[in-house]
Amino acid sequence: MPFLLAFVLFFVLPALQTLQLSFTDSGLTETHGYVGLANYVELLQDPGFWYAMLHTGYFSLLTVVPLTALGLVMAMLINRLSYFASTVQAIFFIPNILPIAVMAMISSWMLHPTFGVVNLVAGTQIAWFNDPDFAMPMVALATIWWTVGFNVLLFLAALKNIPQDLYEAAGLDGATRWGTFRYITWRQLRPVTLMVFGLQLVASLKIFGQTYLLTGGGPFDSTKVVLHYMYETGFVNQNAGYASAIAVTFVLIILLILLLQSLLSRFMNRRS
């Protein structure tokens, strides 16, 4: 009952209110009359929204697969360690517990154009977060450094649960390392891999804090993602009705993407 009460109070009711506002021409502090589907029609013709969707997809492309693959590789390497495995595991996980403001500050220092360690090592003076070509990849790189430790923990837990009898039987049968990975490790890890991929996909689509703190959506709006666009529409331009329409549309897009991912996962499982 306490969880159900909190869920209804802080999720269901605000979601229903957002849906209701999306059909109005409301401001930030006042509610105006209903306008039907006018906000959604305007949204479909709004190039700013679709550019924000493009930037969000670009960020997801830069982070989802690398975060999943790096988490798997790092977990397999740590799992092979005989000594200091816990220490190495902690080193990878420590960035994940940092607040996003601290992560943004560290990333800004490391990528500073004059005294940043990246430019000092590379011998360059590139303003990474002020260049339209580098800004989003650098935000993605900072996000990977910040969050990959959580995926490592998930994969490590899955690796620990694989029965060692399978590896012993494969060794007696003369299986190669690649064969052991393909037919034992990968098949045992596939459910966890799909789960990690899904979690990272949702997290990447919901990006806001990294771009807001590191680039402010710039330069030239090259890192302005959907949630940033929605925030500016609702709180800066004080157009709560249109911002609510953006929120509802974006939720539907995420649900559609997750549905397609689920169908693809089921298809792959059936083929295997």
Side-chain angles (χ1 to χ4, degrees), residues 129-148:
F129 292 124
N130 294 324
D131 191 312
D133 296 327
F134 292 117
M136 188 63 87
M138 291 301 105
V139 172
L141 184 63
T143 302
I144 292 172
W145 164 76
W146 181 41
T147 59
V148 71

Side-chain angles (χ1 to χ4, degrees), residues 72-168:
L72 175 59
V73 172
M74 290 178 179
M76 293 184 65
L77 292 176
I78 294 174
N79 194 49
R80 290 178 174 271
L81 294 177
S82 301
Y83 303 98
F84 305 112
S86 299
T87 303
V88 176
Q89 178 180 335
I91 291 173
F92 281 116
F93 186 73
I94 283 175
N96 193 256
I97 66 176
L98 296 176
I100 188 170
V102 177
M103 181 279 292
M105 185 177 297
I106 294 174
S107 300
S108 299
W109 288 344
M110 294 182 66
L111 296 168
H112 195 275
T114 55
F115 58 78
V117 64
V118 174
N119 279 323
L120 289 177
V121 172
T124 58
Q125 289 187 339
I126 301 175
W128 300 100
F129 292 124
N130 294 324
D131 191 312
D133 296 327
F134 292 117
M136 188 63 87
M138 291 301 105
V139 172
L141 184 63
T143 302
I144 292 172
W145 164 76
W146 181 41
T147 59
V148 71
F150 181 71
N151 295 344
V152 173
L153 283 184
L154 293 177
F155 280 117
L156 273 174
L159 286 169
K160 298 294 184 183
N161 287 328
I162 298 177
Q164 294 300 312
D165 297 345
L166 297 177
Y167 292 111
E168 294 174 1

Side-chain angles (χ1 to χ4, degrees), residues 160-220:
K160 298 294 184 183
N161 287 328
I162 298 177
Q164 294 300 312
D165 297 345
L166 297 177
Y167 292 111
E168 294 174 1
L172 293 175
D173 291 338
T176 62
R177 287 188 176 182
W178 168 248
T180 302
F181 171 78
R182 179 181 178 184
Y183 294 107
I184 297 178
T185 306
W186 174 244
R187 291 197 175 188
Q188 296 290 322
L189 292 180
R190 185 159 48 198
V192 177
T193 304
L194 293 175
M195 180 191 71
V196 170
F197 185 87
L199 290 174
Q200 291 304 323
L201 181 60
V202 173
S204 295
L205 290 173
K206 295 194 304 178
I207 177 181
F208 172 70
Q210 297 96 301
T211 55
Y212 182 76
L213 293 174
L214 290 171
T215 65
F220 309 113

